[in-house]
Amino acid sequence: MTASRDIARDGPAPVTARAVSARGLASWLNSSKGLGLVLLAPAMVLVVLFFLVPVVVTGLIAFTNMSTATGITGGAYQVSPSALRVLTDQHGMGALAERLGQPTYTVDEQGLATLEEMGIEPGIVAGLRERHLGETYSSRREFERAIRALPERPATRTVKRISAAFSRSLANERFASAGALIAAAEAVEPDLDAAEKQALVEATYTGWTWTSENFRRLATSRDTERVFFNTLFFVATTLVLFNTGYAMVLAIATHYIPERAAGIFRIIWFLPRISPVVIYVLLWKWLAWDTGFLSALLSNFGVRPRNWMLDSATNAWVFVILINGFVGASMGMVIFASAIKAIPQSLFHAAAVDGAYRWQQIRHIILPHLKWPILFVTCYQTLSLLTSIDQTLLSTDGGPGGATEIWSLWIYHTALNNYAGNLQYGYGAAMALVLVVIGITLSLLYLRLFNYNALIIKPRIEH
Amino acid sequence: MRILLDKFSKSFGDVRVIEDMTLEVNDGEMLALLGPSGCGKSTTLFAICGIHKVSGGRIFFGERDMTDVPSQERNVGVVFQSYALYPHMTVAENIAFPLRIRKLPEAEVKRQMEEMARLVHIEELLGRRPAELSGGQQQRVALARALVRRPNVLLLDEPLANLDAKLRLEMRSEIRRIQLETGITAILVTHDQVEAMSMCDRIAIMNAGRIIQIATPQEMYRNPRTAFVAGFLGNPPIAFLDAVARDGWLAVEDADIRLPVPPGTRTPPDGTPVVLGIRPETLGREGDAPIRGRVTFVETQGRENLYDITLANGSVLRSIQRVSDDVSLNDEVEWRVRSDQIFVFSQNGERL
Amino acid sequence: MTGHLRSWPIVLALSVASAPLVLMYVYLFVDTVTNAPPGSFVPNEFTLEHWSFLWHTPRGRPSIWRVTLNSLLFATSTAALVVVISSMAGYVLSRLNVPARGFFLAGVMVLHAFPAITLIVAIFLVLQVVGLYNTLIGVILVKAAIDMPLGIWLMKGFYDTVPWEIEMAGIQDGASRFTVWRKLVLPQVKPGIFALALFAFLLGWGEFILPQVLAPGGDVQVLSVYLASLIADDNNFDMALFKSVGLFYMAPVLILFFFFQGHLMNIYGGGTKG
Ligand SMILES: Nc1ncnc2c1ncn2[C@@H]1O[C@H](COP(=O)(O)OP(=O)(O)OP(=O)(O)O)[C@@H](O)[C@H]1O
Ligand SMILES: [Mg+2]
């Protein structure tokens, strides 16, 4: 009925809001919709900036050859030796490449003007113009011989300066744009055809370009297979042994002991989760390194001290799984423990009367009640193990010799940090894209599985 | 201020909860909305105060159409069943909250808040928090908070449901006193018929989203429009008895009962099945039509006794009588009904 | 229910299983204040020499205090951002009738499960392009964004427990929806906000990979990156020093956990309920 109502109906369009009084705006803010959108705005900004945009960027970059060498923001055109090699090998324009790569001296008006500026005696300049204007020399020696042969012979130092002024070589020159490159190339080789221009521009471009090469490489690389199976092994083993298995053992065991002791054990098993990961892994290193606890302990039994974490692939895996598993166990432990606590006491009493032994209680009462919690933990932890990186990076860093390289770590090593120093953003993004797709698919799947529709309750205040 | 609901309806998604309800509450009147659980009482209340949007119809306060006015501008005071006091504020802050929202000068806020606290007798509780109050005290605070900004309309959603019996009795008269003192138009939602009858000027009985009857408590008790209304009012409740019209009489054939058609009732055609409503107080030692049965239940209520008597056909009637020792369980008795005070309903519950 | 069954075998088994962990954490303390003869783990002298990093900054490394300040800034800022944003958005999802509410709810759930770390390559590049690479602000924003879905989810849970009637009463009392949220509802979820703030602070305090990738520079280094680079430096291997820095780094965590473990276990464990 009033203007304010209309705005409430028309929604967030700021254009409408501006047109009406401050009261209209206030009442829009007072409506569920208005206030809701305002309160959601900061969250949406972060989601767009750090989830949506990165997803899109990952998708885009995966189709480029972006790397430290190409830079991120685009590049220049450089007639580098490697560019000339590309021109020769890939475009079959060896003659052009040779010409562009050679030093060339051309006597033109531009060079003469430079000489005048440099304050070379007018006689020399005039002599050059009269006798050699328009001539091109392909070697410095030849050109300088011509200069020395001028009637007004310059001093040796001046000869060098003169020849430099006419140097028209493109070798190792950088051009900001393709136009500048072509203009310069035409100064050397006036009759370039379109195909040659195109090839030249492509070969000399130093920035990144679009390509699907990353995926071809990913699909054919032997590393892919190795890292894929490493990841599979890592996720499955850790998940089964620790995140659900051992977590369940902890939850059930602490259920059967006095509350005080149970509390202490829960806290102990919580330490890995609350400890900053760097310290946590440091403690494991202390345990495993060649001067560490294990070595010292075992040396009493005549075992040679060594770095137990990295001395063999098997040991490395044991440690990677233990390190990750100890962290993962606590989440399952808490969830399972509270699920067990929620089981009606009467069920246990009944079972006790039936004379059921403990393991029968576990099998017939506890485990059936843990079905959904186990499913939840499995789903949730699959994703987080699949993408976990800190523990493995800090402990084995994928070693020894790549034995414990898992997918997420591989991305890190490819795109963010490696010894070679050439970070391949494009290739890394292609790897990441695989995980992003898996992540989105699985999280959508879980959404269905855990029936989120039951969670949507209509607000009771309708305005 | 007069309240008018004009053809108001409300649905949640596909579920129609209220259908074309028209209801008028007079200025200064206290009206009870009475009905069984889930009949739509709270829904009606929420529509009046603006928490719900209406799905159809209009709502007027006085002459003003309030249908699309936001809650905040309707100036309606509401007391919720759970009181909904603000747990983090003291009693004083709770009562002052509506005034502070209106940006009244602090001195004025304090004056009005204290005045209201006096009215509901909680002056000495002002410094406490809701968690430190008894149910009755919380209720008074809620009332004070609803009244402090002088609302045009006061809505009470089962305000006494959480109180014990004695406190309930006390608060009943207290709320009525305050309502009369302030002269505010009020709607009381309840499913307790005693509360409705004792506190309100008129009662609107609802069932399944419709208003069945609106009348003063006496009128409604004496003259229920349907069997539902008759069954809802009265404690102990009315008893129903299947009968047929026979030769201008109402007969319960397998129990050997014949009653004359009460005055003012249409005589149904011969053979029509009807339902008789017999209130406990109309069955007793005096009356004109005899009824025989066996006493199957006796309950002493102090001043009176309540009897169930089971007729030959298994139907049960109730009788309330002055305490006496001459009747005991399993006695065969022959009592009488004042046949001019029974109600005759058709099979579908309409009063004939 | 099981009182008649003996529990000591279980306690014993658990103790054995927990021994390595206990050993590691006990030695985290012991090694920082003692020296032991080579090859032995029985301390033979008390010393504070391993703590000299507090007053003596090694060459080529930022001062520990500078790094600590960065860590504090990083963790408090992310916690503050997460709390503010989540308490706003959580309220909307719990209470307000916004268009596409179901979609937003589903979105939060998906984001909560979605491993944002997979986006780190893209985020790294985006920060470089917008000039926030190697700044605290950049990595704070990223960390806040990553923790936010969980925060929103938790806050929604807390708001869900506030009785509707309080809001209805507030509206009847004439307060706007904003005032109702700010003055009436927020105070009811204070304990939840506190727990979330604590939790987000600890997450930020322990975070390693984000600052390592997005803000590794000396000026903006946080404790985790500092300690990791200390450990990675092969030329100066000094386990006792690492542990001392580690203990210094971990002390706030232990203190907070000691006082508020009830709150934290719940959130760490589930993240699905408050
Ligand atoms: N938000 C809603 N969505 C769907 N149905 C609703 C909603 N609110 C109420 N209802 C339905 O509307 C009907 C009326 O509800 P209402 O709360 O008005 O009952 P009531 O008369 O106040 O009952 P009570 O005496 O138990 O409080 C009920 O059947 C209820 O299930
Ligand atoms: Mg109700």
Side-chain angles (χ1 to χ4, degrees):
Chain A
M1 44 158 239
T2 59
S4 60
R5 278 296 298 176
D6 293 340
I7 290 158
R9 246 183 238 128
D10 287 347
V15 199
T16 355
R18 205 183 321 132
V20 300
S21 62
R23 214 194 125 213
L25 187 69
S27 105
W28 182 69
L29 265 182
N30 188 28
S31 71
S32 229
K33 199 193 230 173
L35 182 64
L37 294 177
V38 169
L39 291 186
L40 268 184
M44 307 247 277
V45 169
L46 282 196
V47 168
V48 169
L49 281 183
F50 298 109
F51 288 94
L52 295 187
V53 168
V55 166
V56 174
V57 168
T58 306
L60 291 178
I61 297 201
F63 288 92
T64 69
N65 61 355
M66 196 183 283
S67 68
T68 330
T70 67
I72 299 167
T73 42
Y77 300 83
Q78 182 163 27
V79 192
S80 61
S82 68
L84 293 177
R85 216 171 308 123
V86 169
L87 208 55
T88 315
D89 299 345
Q90 290 178 17
H91 299 276
M93 300 177 182
L96 177 65
E98 200 174 325
R99 210 116 18 93
L100 292 175
Q102 268 175 5
T104 321
Y105 299 86
T106 306
V107 183
D108 51 13
E109 284 297 342
Q110 188 195 338
L112 292 170
T114 315
L115 289 191
E116 274 162 8
E117 257 167 53
M118 280 158 53
I120 304 292
E121 289 93 287
I124 301 177
V125 179
L128 268 172
R129 179 176 284 124
E130 257 166 48
R131 294 180 177 217
H132 299 298
L133 187 63
E135 285 176 7
T136 296
Y137 303 84
S138 59
S139 86
R140 184 189 200 107
R141 181 119 47 84
E142 204 182 319
F143 182 41
E144 285 181 0
R145 200 181 304 134
I147 297 173
R148 284 200 197 88
L150 284 175
E152 205 169 311
R153 186 186 159 144
T156 310
R157 257 187 61 226
T158 319
V159 171
K160 291 243 181 287
R161 288 173 66 203
I162 292 172
S163 69
F166 292 98
S167 165
R168 294 288 173 269
S169 170
L170 294 185
N172 290 320
E173 287 278 332
R174 261 180 104 84
F175 302 92
S177 70
L181 167 73
I182 296 295
E186 277 176 333
V188 176
E189 179 67 51
D191 35 37
L192 284 172
D193 62 28
E196 281 171 328
K197 282 181 190 168
Q198 169 88 22
L200 183 59
V201 167
E202 266 174 32
T204 57
Y205 187 58
T206 64
W208 52 268
T209 51
W210 299 106
T211 169
S212 58
E213 168 67 15
N214 296 326
F215 292 97
R216 207 191 51 73
R217 205 170 138 196
L218 204 55
T220 52
S221 162
R222 293 257 299 287
D223 286 343
T224 310
E225 198 180 324
R226 190 172 51 87
V227 173
F228 176 80
F229 284 111
N230 278 352
T231 311
L232 209 63
F233 171 72
F234 165 70
V235 172
T237 316
T238 316
L239 192 67
V240 172
L241 288 186
F242 285 95
N243 294 30
T244 54
Y246 191 55
M248 207 143 56
V249 170
L250 281 177
I252 294 176
T254 52
H255 174 72
Y256 280 112
I257 62 176
E259 193 44 47
R260 257 190 97 78
I264 292 175
F265 282 119
R266 290 206 191 105
I267 289 181
I268 290 175
W269 283 95
F270 230 83
L271 283 171
R273 183 162 286 261
I274 58 158
S275 308
V277 57
V278 184
I279 302 172
Y280 171 67
V281 175
L282 173 68
L283 295 181
W284 280 94
K285 286 186 165 172
W286 168 77
L287 202 69
W289 274 5
D290 43 8
T291 54
F293 188 82
L294 262 185
S295 293
L297 192 70
L298 292 176
S299 69
N300 294 332
F301 305 97
V303 181
R304 184 178 45 82
R306 56 182 131 152
N307 187 339
W308 289 89
M309 197 182 277
L310 287 173
D311 74 330
S312 73
T314 316
N315 282 357
W317 271 123
V318 169
F319 275 98
V320 164
I321 289 170
L322 282 175
I323 291 174
N324 280 285
F326 275 32
V327 177
S330 58
M331 174 179 168
M333 174 184 77
V334 171
I335 290 181
F336 297 150
S338 68
I340 294 177
K341 207 176 256 169
I343 300 176
Q345 284 293 315
S346 55
L347 284 184
F348 287 110
H349 286 306
V353 172
D354 289 349
Y357 289 108
R358 230 180 248 170
W359 69 268
Q360 278 173 326
Q361 273 189 3
I362 294 172
R363 241 190 78 193
H364 296 297
I365 300 170
I366 295 184
L367 287 187
H369 276 90
L370 289 184
K371 225 164 57 192
W372 276 98
I374 290 174
L375 187 61
F376 175 77
V377 169
T378 306
C379 291
Y380 193 88
Q381 299 278 25
T382 306
L383 263 184
S384 61
L385 281 174
L386 206 53
T387 54
S388 95
I389 176 167
D390 303 70
Q391 284 85 5
T392 318
L393 168 65
L394 287 166
S395 56
T396 65
D397 196 17
T404 55
E405 184 92 329
I406 50 175
W407 201 277
S408 53
L409 200 55
W410 196 30
I411 300 176
Y412 180 82
H413 285 145
T414 306
L416 298 170
N417 193 325
N418 61 25
Y419 297 114
N422 185 16
L423 306 179
Q424 300 164 282
Y425 306 131
Y427 192 32
M431 297 172 183
L433 195 60
V434 175
L435 281 190
V436 170
V437 170
I438 295 179
I440 292 178
T441 317
L442 284 186
S443 18
L444 285 175
L445 208 72
Y446 298 165
L447 196 64
R448 295 212 51 151
L449 191 61
F450 292 102
N451 189 19
Y452 103 106
N453 279 327
L455 292 167
I456 312 179
I457 306 160
K458 254 192 129 9
R460 288 179 58 195
I461 298 178
E462 296 181 346
H463 280 277
Chain B
M1 179 163 298
R2 178 190 76 132
I3 307 169
L4 174 64
L5 301 185
D6 185 17
K7 297 214 175 63
F8 153 64
S9 32
K10 174 73 197 171
S11 32
F12 295 106
D14 297 337
V15 190
R16 273 187 104 62
V17 174
I18 308 272
E19 192 106 49
D20 275 349
M21 176 196 283
T22 297
L23 172 70
E24 184 167 6
V25 188
N26 299 321
D27 190 15
E29 182 183 38
M30 179 136 167
L31 178 101
L33 264 188
L34 183 62
S37 188
C39 71
K41 305 181 295 291
S42 300
T43 307
T44 310
L45 222 60
F46 283 155
I48 294 175
C49 65
I51 286 170
H52 286 170
K53 292 177 181 171
V54 306
S55 322
R58 312 256 79 185
I59 295 173
F60 295 90
F61 288 1
E63 292 310 310
R64 187 166 172 214
D65 185 344
M66 288 295 196
T67 318
D68 294 322
V69 176
S71 291
Q72 288 91 338
E73 293 165 32
R74 292 195 190 190
N75 201 17
V76 175
V78 184
V79 177
F80 295 91
Q81 183 177 337
S82 57
Y83 312 136
L85 297 180
Y86 309 133
H88 58 295
M89 297 183 180
T90 62
V91 168
E93 285 164 342
N94 262 281
I95 302 178
F97 183 76
L99 303 174
R100 298 223 163 97
I101 288 292
R102 279 168 182 67
K103 301 210 164 45
L104 259 58
E106 202 47 40
E108 186 60 21
V109 168
K110 196 163 152 41
R111 193 186 65 70
Q112 292 193 19
M113 183 267 291
E114 282 169 354
E115 182 189 316
M116 193 47 66
R118 262 197 304 284
L119 180 74
V120 300
H121 303 321
I122 48 167
E123 302 97 309
E124 68 290 356
L125 304 177
L126 288 177
R128 297 209 202 156
R129 285 183 197 279
E132 304 159 352
L133 300 178
S134 75
Q137 290 167 335
Q138 291 186 29
Q139 222 264 331
R140 283 166 203 258
V141 178
L143 198 58
R145 190 184 61 190
L147 287 173
V148 73
R149 63 207 151 86
R150 315 203 174 289
N152 295 329
V153 172
L154 179 65
L155 306 179
L156 304 144
D157 192 352
E158 310 200 21
L160 305 178
N162 289 347
L163 304 182
D164 66 42
K166 183 165 167 294
L167 201 55
R168 200 181 291 192
L169 214 65
E170 197 177 299
M171 286 310 296
R172 254 192 234 160
S173 47
E174 193 76 336
I175 291 177
R176 180 62 163 163
R177 169 181 70 83
I178 292 164
Q179 188 260 333
L180 289 173
E181 248 168 70
T182 50
I184 192 170
T185 311
I187 299 182
L188 170 78
V189 159
T190 175
H191 44 221
D192 178 352
Q193 45 113 4
V194 180
E195 213 168 282
M197 305 234 286
S198 61
M199 292 172 71
C200 297
D201 299 307
R202 285 195 303 158
I203 298 176
I205 288 228
M206 285 184 71
N207 189 22
R210 292 171 187 281
I211 292 191
I212 312 287
Q213 186 174 5
I214 306 185
T216 63
Q218 281 93 338
E219 170 63 14
M220 192 168 277
Y221 189 75
R222 286 209 204 108
N223 204 359
R225 187 175 293 162
T226 67
F228 176 79
V229 175
F232 215 88
L233 291 190
N235 186 23
I238 197 166
F240 293 105
L241 193 57
D242 289 323
V244 282
R246 203 54 93 207
D247 313 327
W249 292 76
L250 303 168
V252 183
E253 289 174 342
D254 46 3
D256 194 16
I257 296 174
R258 267 160 64 93
L259 300 171
V261 176
T265 305
R266 268 185 301 113
T267 309
D270 231 31
T272 320
V274 294
V275 177
L276 306 181
I278 303 178
R279 291 210 188 273
E281 63 268 26
T282 59
L283 173 60
R285 311 294 168 92
E286 289 122 47
D288 51 324
I291 284 184
R292 267 181 302 280
R294 198 163 53 85
V295 175
T296 48
F297 179 73
V298 182
E299 182 185 294
T300 306
Q301 297 192 331
R303 201 155 26 86
E304 286 150 338
N305 276 354
L306 175 64
Y307 303 99
D308 282 5
I309 68 171
T310 306
L311 309 183
N313 68 350
S315 311
V316 178
L317 292 183
R318 273 182 218 102
S319 166
I320 191 157
Q321 300 174 17
R322 203 182 281 272
V323 172
S324 65
D325 304 331
D326 57 349
V327 182
S328 51
L329 205 59
N330 289 327
D331 286 358
E332 293 288 338
V333 293
E334 179 179 313
W335 283 337
R336 281 152 202 289
V337 163
R338 272 174 296 212
S339 64
D340 57 332
Q341 285 175 23
I342 67 174
F343 308 122
V344 183
F345 303 101
S346 68
Q347 283 267 281
N348 60 12
E350 290 297 318
R351 182 86 180 274
L352 294 175
Chain C
M1 90 243 62
T2 50
H4 59 288
L5 291 169
R6 278 172 304 177
S7 55
W8 68 261
I10 305 180
V11 173
L12 191 70
L14 274 178
S15 303
V16 171
S18 310
L21 263 183
V22 174
L23 195 75
M24 288 195 286
Y25 281 89
V26 166
Y27 268 95
L28 172 59
F29 287 90
V30 172
D31 281 357
T32 60
V33 289
T34 59
N35 278 330
S40 159
F41 284 84
V42 186
N44 63 352
E45 63 169 343
F46 175 85
T47 175
L48 285 178
E49 69 187 69
H50 309 307
W51 290 87
S52 66
F53 70 92
L54 288 180
W55 52 88
H56 172 79
T57 303
R59 239 167 3 102
R61 300 215 173 269
S63 142
I64 184 79
W65 298 109
R66 176 66 196 265
V67 176
T68 308
L69 185 69
N70 284 342
S71 260
L72 263 179
L73 262 177
F74 175 66
T76 43
S77 311
T78 47
L81 265 180
V82 167
V83 164
V84 170
I85 294 178
S86 310
S87 55
M88 287 162 61
Y91 180 66
V92 179
L93 296 187
S94 170
R95 288 299 162 91
L96 295 182
N97 212 351
V98 283
R101 183 161 161 274
F103 172 79
F104 285 125
L105 260 174
V108 170
M109 282 190 72
V110 169
L111 286 182
H112 177 29
F114 178 76
I117 201 71
T118 54
L119 301 175
I120 194 162
V121 177
I123 291 176
F124 170 78
L125 298 176
V126 169
L127 287 196
Q128 294 224 331
V129 170
V130 298
L132 288 177
Y133 175 71
N134 234 340
T135 63
L136 267 182
I137 300 201
V139 71
I140 284 170
L141 284 176
V142 174
K143 178 69 177 154
I146 289 179
D147 290 350
M148 181 189 69
L150 173 65
I152 295 179
W153 194 246
L154 287 172
M155 283 313 298
K156 178 195 173 294
F158 294 136
Y159 283 122
D160 282 345
T161 66
V162 177
W164 270 102
E165 280 76 15
I166 287 187
E167 280 186 66
M168 295 179 177
I171 286 180
Q172 295 311 319
D173 284 344
S176 66
R177 288 309 293 266
F178 178 78
T179 310
V180 166
W181 170 64
R182 184 58 205 78
K183 292 271 172 60
L184 301 181
V185 179
L186 263 188
Q188 315 303 322
V189 295
K190 255 193 213 148
I193 290 184
F194 175 74
L196 176 61
L198 201 66
F199 181 64
F201 177 84
L202 289 181
L203 279 188
W205 189 255
E207 177 65 45
F208 167 66
I209 193 76
L210 287 180
Q212 165 77 12
V213 171
L214 304 177
D219 286 348
V220 290
Q221 222 167 57
V222 292
L223 275 167
S224 56
V225 178
Y226 175 85
L227 179 55
S229 71
L230 214 56
I231 297 171
D233 182 355
D234 293 334
N235 300 326
N236 298 297
F237 182 85
D238 180 353
M239 186 54 88
L241 170 67
F242 302 163
K243 284 191 170 181
S244 304
V245 176
L247 187 57
F248 172 79
Y249 174 27
M250 191 161 160
V253 180
L254 289 176
I255 292 169
L256 290 176
F257 185 67
F258 180 77
F259 284 108
F260 306 109
Q261 43 149 307
H263 294 259
L264 290 172
M265 276 227 200
N266 247 339
I267 298 190
Y268 272 113
T272 47
K273 56 176 194 285

